[in-house]
Amino acid sequence: MKTRHVGPFEVSEIGLGCMSLSHAYGPPPPREQAERVLKGALDRGYSFFDTAAVYGLGHNERLIGEVLGDRRDEFVLASKCGMTDGETRDLNGAPERLKKTCDESLARLGVDVIDLYYLHRWDKRVPIEDSVGALADLVQAGKIRAIGLSEVSAATLRRAHAVHPIAALQTEYSPWTRNPEVAVLDACRELGVAFVAFSPVGRGFLAGGLRDLGKLQPGDFRAGMPRFIGEAFEANLKLLDAFTDLAGEAGCTPAQLCLAWLLQKDPIIVPIPGTTRPKHMSENAGASDVVLTTQVVERLEALVNARTVSGSRYAPAMQATVDTEELVLSEA
């Protein structure tokens, strides 16, 4: 796989988001299947693995540490803090909490240092300068190598970057979630910050794997997301056939179409699709070889965009935890 840069690191231009191996999209896969995804990803050329303390409340970090520990020198390891207090979910950006979480993550991962450590969400009760200052202390202590931020605005990125260089900003970006185009992508380019795109295939929707909400497993958090509810979901389904046809014309799968679109957007973008299936992991990696014509890109963007997609990306309670810009549509 071709490579890109995230801070001081050279990584595969498509990374692996590991969250779904522990929670969020229903029951996690069997251990043996998770191992095949993780080890197979290394063999397939992935060298950027993304986890977090909150994923399965430590389960995901332990999984990566146990499965990939003997191949640690083959990949860049990213994790996150600020959304957990040990065995509970808790948004808290207090410096002492972030440092405690880092020590716990190091132990679960079985490593002495984490390459890229994100503030998972900005706790607005704590100045961003204080939270990033704590992460800067962790860099100084040799426990992390670089600092990242997740789901923050361009203004917050600039405030944080003034305290300590930010290596990467992570937020949702795909053909059906275009909020980064408001301001934060420009800020990343200006400051030399890599942009890590999570949910790059629309939480699986644009890959075509979910056409019946009745098939959602217990614990799948998409069931509470506006785009996957009622009339909005039915309206979004009408986009899928044309999107799938366009992928066929481009000589790739729908998931690869999403990823190739992101890769061609800007060399600072590194998408990190997640999956529980080895087949899909390999399919996603294949997007690195897909080249889209200008015509295909134009048709994709006309088909799937903020005006054609129904429903917001988060329900109000979840939206309140993020700091990203909202895309405001002008009148036609």
Side-chain angles (χ1 to χ4, degrees):
M1 209 188 301
K2 295 184 284 292
T3 61
R4 295 191 171 189
H5 284 89
V6 174
F9 310 110
E10 185 176 2
V11 303
S12 55
E13 67 176 1
I14 298 172
L16 184 69
C18 299
M19 179 180 71
S20 60
L21 297 175
S22 296
H23 88 143
Y25 293 102
R31 171 67 178 241
E32 185 274 338
Q33 183 173 325
E35 289 185 6
R36 286 195 291 123
V37 170
L38 291 170
K39 292 180 179 178
L42 278 181
D43 294 338
R44 187 63 176 79
Y46 289 82
S47 63
F48 187 37
F49 287 70
D50 182 276
T51 183
V54 78
Y55 296 164
L57 294 175
H59 174 274
N60 203 245
E61 289 180 323
R62 284 191 296 271
L63 176 69
I64 290 172
E66 292 168 4
V67 174
L68 300 182
D70 61 347
R71 301 179 67 176
R72 177 65 187 89
D73 60 346
E74 296 181 42
F75 64 96
V76 171
L77 174 63
S79 192
K80 310 179 195 72
C81 62
M83 288 189 72
T84 181
D85 179 20
E87 298 302 316
T88 61
R89 299 178 189 278
D90 179 32
L91 178 61
N92 191 326
E96 61 274 14
R97 174 66 61 78
L98 303 184
K99 293 177 180 180
K100 176 175 178 288
T101 301
C102 181
D103 287 338
E104 294 167 346
S105 291
L106 289 168
R108 286 189 292 262
L109 289 161
V111 299
D112 296 324
V113 61
I114 297 169
D115 297 317
L116 175 61
Y117 203 48
Y118 293 91
L119 182 66
H120 206 154
R121 295 289 187 275
W122 175 31
D123 175 4
K124 297 174 186 177
R125 299 168 299 179
V126 180
I128 190 65
E129 291 82 359
D130 292 354
S131 294
V132 172
L135 300 186
D137 289 343
L138 292 172
V139 173
Q140 190 67 28
K143 295 182 178 182
I144 67 175
R145 292 193 170 101
I147 297 173
L149 299 175
S150 178
E151 294 276 47
V152 301
S153 66
T156 302
L157 171 61
R158 289 190 174 92
R159 286 172 57 190
H161 196 74
V163 175
H164 187 281
I166 303 299
L169 185 148
Q170 178 177 145
T171 193
E172 184 175 355
Y173 192 26
S174 73
W176 85 339
T177 297
R178 309 286 278 276
N179 305 63
E181 296 172 5
V182 175
V184 85
L185 272 173
D186 286 340
C188 285
R189 295 184 191 104
E190 173 192 330
L191 299 173
V193 176
F195 184 93
V196 177
F198 74 75
S199 296
V201 296
R203 302 192 183 276
F205 181 83
L206 293 176
L210 180 63
R211 291 177 176 267
D212 181 359
L213 290 177
K215 294 183 178 180
L216 287 179
Q217 297 294 309
D220 191 320
F221 73 167
R222 289 177 292 185
M225 292 183 165
R227 292 178 181 176
F228 293 90
I229 297 174
E231 293 181 0
F233 181 74
E234 295 301 321
N236 290 329
L237 276 179
K238 296 176 182 178
L239 301 174
L240 266 186
D241 288 338
F243 189 79
T244 301
D245 289 344
L246 182 58
E249 291 181 37
C252 62
T253 68
Q256 290 172 339
L257 179 59
C258 292
L259 296 169
W261 175 78
L262 283 168
L263 291 173
Q264 288 185 208
K265 274 285 181 183
D266 197 296
I268 70 168
I269 296 174
V270 178
I272 52 167
T275 184
T276 61
R277 302 181 184 183
K279 178 182 177 181
H280 291 166
M281 173 274 294
S282 184
E283 174 190 332
N284 291 338
S288 185
D289 298 321
V290 175
V291 178
L292 304 178
T293 66
T294 300
Q295 183 186 45
V296 166
V297 170
E298 290 174 349
R299 290 171 60 192
L300 182 158
E301 293 180 351
L303 176 66
V304 182
N305 58 63
R307 292 186 182 279
T308 63
V309 172
S310 297
S312 57
R313 72 182 183 114
Y314 285 141
M318 180 66 78
Q319 184 61 41
T321 70
V322 304
D323 178 52
T324 50
E325 289 88 357
E326 284 296 288
L327 194 60
V328 178
L329 298 178
S330 59
E331 294 296 328

